Amino acid sequence: MIAQLPILQVIVPLLAAPCCLLVGRSKLLWFFALLASAMTFVISLVLLQQVQESGTIHYSLGGWSAPFGIEYRIDLLNAYLLLIVSSITSIILLTAHASITAELNENKHKLFYVVFLLCLAGMLGIIATGDAFNLFVFLEISALSSYTLIALGQKRQALTAAFRYLLVGTLGASFILIGIGLMYMVTGTLNMFDLSERLPQVEESRTVVTAFSFLILGVCLKLALFPLHWWLPNAYAYAPSVVSALLAATATKVAIYILLRFIFTVFGGEFSFTTLPLQEILSVLGIAGVLTASVMAIYQQNVKQLFAYSSVAQIAYMMLALAMNSTNGLIATLLHLFNHALMKGALFLALAGVMYRLGSVELTQFAGLGKRMPWTMAAIVIGGLSLIGLPLTVGFISKWYLLRAALENGWWPLAIFILLGSLLAVVYVWRIVETAYFSPAKAGHNQIKEAPLRLLLPTWILVLANLYFGCDASFTIAVTELTAQALLGGAP
């Protein structure tokens, strides 16, 4: 049974999606989707344990061995990302029934769960597959599902945001497909392990350099790396709250996984950072992204958009760490993948509670909520402190490793920009705190109650995880250290 787990990780949500069409009541739909997601979480735990004990797991589809058939290949990087995506998705789904009941018409509930599970299957497939073209197929499954989920939003702007994301996503996917096609042209294979062995023989070819350029640009579009981020703020702001949490906590992490896989496994770190000025490009765009997105966050009146711009800044932090091309830099990137998922998951689920009670997440509506919704606002405050990087939160662990990597590389000016980014985060987090705790409540808000327990409980699971892994990061550090060493060593 263990040998079948890599494919079951993808098959479970993929089959569960159409099965939702046979389920009648909304609450049964929610339970069925939650059960499917929980199964993927359990499978990911077992896979991580197996990889740690026995090494890389191989699964050949249809009995066709690689490179002739499609192979699922689970190493530490795959298993780590599978755990992040499946765990966060399962926690987000705990809130789904209450949240979408408040935000979506009942006739859309079935569509929501079908598309949500397809999106999950797509993301898990991207991570699990060892075939470059199969990765593209799953990328399109998750992307098309994301467009649909965003378009389910209450306001008309949701359709515009989804269409904008569709245009950018299609452009990014086209670049990725061109890159994969060019690699296939010069190597005759699509298996990523096989590509990693054949590409060094032809790496001086202009075709390989072009393929690498197309892939990096395509993934950066999907990733929303500054200045290619313009589709992201509205997508987060106008999507249903559960969808905003899903995209913020998982989708960008999967895009970063693709970047890591192609840079370090397929092309190799030496080629990636010497053939093209990738280090300089990522460093400049990272610094610009941290500062620009943080400043933009300060001026937002919609709190979802505020945290969306914050996500652009956090992505830029990860790119800065990646640009260092060092063990500690890669550890910082991998740590922040996990930590940022916890932060943004908690923040957007807390906003789902605000949306449930107020029907709005405009900053002006937060006046006096510190007293009316104390547990919800406390969750937002703790999530905000994680974004800032306060000690005893996961954000501090990320910032500490990022600063350490920068100083060890001799990039001390970068350390200044990192600290400046944290100071800007203080400003936009303080705007929310000031409004919620120090502004008088708006007329008519006297009857507002705390968010229901079915929303608060999953939110606080993530909030407590922010604090726990901020105090004891031994698990994440151990996994990320081994993963970083394997990637820099070229092990696929």
Side-chain angles (χ1 to χ4, degrees):
M1 186 65 177
I2 295 293
Q4 314 300 322
L5 289 182
I7 189 65
L8 284 176
Q9 180 84 94
V10 181
I11 287 295
V12 168
L14 196 59
L15 289 181
C19 288
C20 285
L21 297 172
L22 305 176
V23 182
R25 298 175 57 189
S26 178
K27 201 160 190 176
L28 285 176
L29 275 169
W30 164 72
F31 182 76
F32 183 74
L34 178 60
L35 181 62
S37 182
M39 287 177 66
T40 66
F41 172 56
V42 173
I43 291 171
S44 68
L45 283 174
V46 177
L47 285 173
L48 180 59
Q49 182 183 16
Q50 286 296 117
V51 170
Q52 288 178 316
E53 293 176 356
S54 309
T56 303
I57 300 171
H58 306 266
Y59 180 86
S60 299
L61 270 69
W64 290 85
S65 299
F68 303 105
I70 295 174
E71 178 188 46
Y72 280 26
R73 191 181 186 92
I74 311 297
D75 59 12
L76 271 174
L77 179 61
N78 303 76
Y80 178 61
L81 265 294
L82 287 172
L83 180 63
I84 293 173
V85 171
S86 60
S87 60
I88 296 295
T89 303
S90 298
I91 294 171
I92 288 171
L93 267 175
L94 286 172
T95 70
H97 179 66
S99 183
I100 68 169
T101 299
E103 297 185 37
L104 299 181
N105 294 328
E106 190 171 353
N107 60 2
K108 294 182 179 180
H109 290 190
K110 188 169 292 189
L111 174 62
F112 169 82
Y113 287 112
V114 170
V115 180
F116 191 100
L117 287 173
L118 284 175
C119 186
L120 173 60
M123 290 190 291
L124 295 176
I126 291 168
I127 299 168
T129 187
D131 182 275
F133 185 74
N134 202 231
L135 181 147
F136 168 76
V137 172
F138 280 117
L139 182 65
E140 285 303 277
I141 292 173
S142 66
L144 291 170
S145 303
S146 299
Y147 309 149
T148 306
L149 288 170
I150 293 168
L152 290 175
Q154 291 175 304
K155 297 184 177 181
R156 293 181 63 183
Q157 291 95 322
L159 296 174
T160 307
F163 183 68
R164 186 177 294 177
Y165 187 15
L166 169 65
L167 293 177
V168 175
T170 301
L171 184 62
S174 299
F175 286 163
I176 292 170
L177 184 59
I178 291 170
I180 292 172
L182 291 173
M183 287 194 299
Y184 181 71
M185 187 175 72
V186 295
T187 62
T189 185
L190 291 168
N191 182 273
M192 287 192 273
F193 174 68
D194 209 29
L195 281 168
S196 69
E197 293 188 327
R198 297 191 189 190
L199 281 173
Q201 302 168 23
V202 291
E203 65 179 16
E204 295 182 3
S205 164
R206 290 182 179 178
T207 307
V208 174
V209 176
T210 305
F212 181 78
S213 303
F214 270 106
L215 280 165
I216 296 301
L217 180 56
V219 176
C220 287
L221 277 165
K222 292 280 189 179
L223 180 61
L225 176 64
F226 178 88
L228 308 174
H229 68 287
W230 54 275
W231 60 267
L232 184 143
N234 283 349
Y236 284 16
Y238 298 112
S241 298
V242 174
V243 177
S244 300
L246 174 73
L247 296 176
T250 62
T252 51
K253 315 304 174 292
V254 175
I256 291 173
Y257 161 79
I258 299 172
L259 199 63
L260 292 171
R261 182 59 77 195
F262 277 110
I263 287 176
F264 292 103
T265 298
V266 177
F267 289 95
E270 185 176 348
F271 172 86
S272 299
F273 286 96
T274 57
T275 304
L276 291 176
L278 187 61
Q279 189 172 63
E280 291 80 1
I281 293 170
L282 292 181
S283 299
V284 171
L285 295 183
I287 292 171
V290 168
L291 299 180
T292 305
S294 297
V295 171
M296 289 295 293
I298 292 172
Y299 290 98
Q300 299 308 306
Q301 294 301 314
N302 182 298
V303 180
K304 275 191 180 183
Q305 283 184 322
L306 184 154
F307 286 130
Y309 278 105
S310 168
S311 288
V312 175
Q314 301 302 314
I315 290 166
Y317 280 123
M318 288 183 254
M319 293 303 100
L320 286 174
L322 177 59
M324 295 177 197
N325 190 28
S326 64
T327 301
N328 281 328
L330 197 48
I331 290 171
T333 302
L334 294 169
L335 274 174
H336 204 44
L337 279 176
F338 180 79
N339 295 341
H340 185 248
L342 295 180
M343 295 179 212
K344 283 300 162 62
L347 285 166
F348 277 98
L349 288 187
L351 291 179
V354 175
M355 193 74 179
Y356 183 89
R357 289 302 186 197
L358 299 179
S360 171
V361 288
E362 293 295 319
L363 185 60
T364 54
Q365 299 297 314
F366 277 64
L369 285 192
K371 294 180 180 179
R372 298 296 174 187
M373 303 180 71
W375 289 98
T376 300
M377 289 311 305
I380 292 176
V381 170
I382 294 173
L385 293 177
S386 284
L387 285 176
I388 294 167
L390 195 74
L392 304 182
T393 66
V394 290
F396 174 76
I397 303 296
S398 297
K399 294 285 177 68
W400 174 257
Y401 271 82
L402 182 54
L403 285 169
R404 196 172 79 169
L407 293 175
E408 287 182 357
N409 269 32
W411 294 11
W412 62 265
L414 179 60
I416 296 174
F417 285 112
I418 294 168
L419 293 173
L420 180 58
S422 294
L423 290 175
L424 292 172
V426 172
V427 178
Y428 62 72
V429 170
W430 175 252
R431 290 187 67 217
I432 300 172
V433 173
E434 182 182 30
T435 304
Y437 290 94
F438 300 103
S439 296
K442 293 179 69 69
H445 280 194
N446 294 329
Q447 304 302 317
I448 290 176
K449 298 179 181 178
E450 181 58 87
L453 187 62
R454 56 188 184 275
L455 285 176
L456 279 179
L457 185 58
T459 302
W460 273 88
I461 290 174
L462 291 177
V463 171
L464 293 175
N466 270 269
L467 298 174
Y468 174 79
F469 287 105
C471 297
D472 181 9
S474 55
F475 167 74
T476 49
I477 290 172
V479 173
T480 52
E481 284 180 346
L482 291 173
T483 305
Q485 291 166 10
L487 285 174
L488 289 173

